[in-house]
Amino acid sequence: MNKLAFALYSWDNGAFIMIGIFALVIIGLVAAVMLMMNSDKKKKND
């Protein structure tokens, strides 16, 4: 039973790649929200 708990997560299955892709997606989403916020402000000022 203890082996099952350790086998649920392993660094050998590309976890570093998955974390890197997840980080890039989060950064992309934050950048998209920031761009939308800035574009809304410009449209309101015009």
Side-chain angles (χ1 to χ4, degrees):
M1 195 67 181
N2 289 338
K3 290 182 180 179
L4 178 63
F6 289 116
L8 290 175
Y9 190 78
S10 173
W11 289 104
D12 295 333
N13 62 356
F16 290 112
I17 296 170
M18 300 288 265
I19 291 171
I21 292 172
F22 183 72
L24 289 175
V25 169
I26 295 298
I27 291 169
L29 288 172
V30 170
V33 169
M34 291 295 196
L35 286 172
M36 283 191 281
M37 286 173 59
N38 290 335
S39 67
D40 287 343
K41 288 180 181 176
K42 289 179 184 175
K43 288 180 182 176
K44 289 178 182 176
N45 289 336
D46 288 340

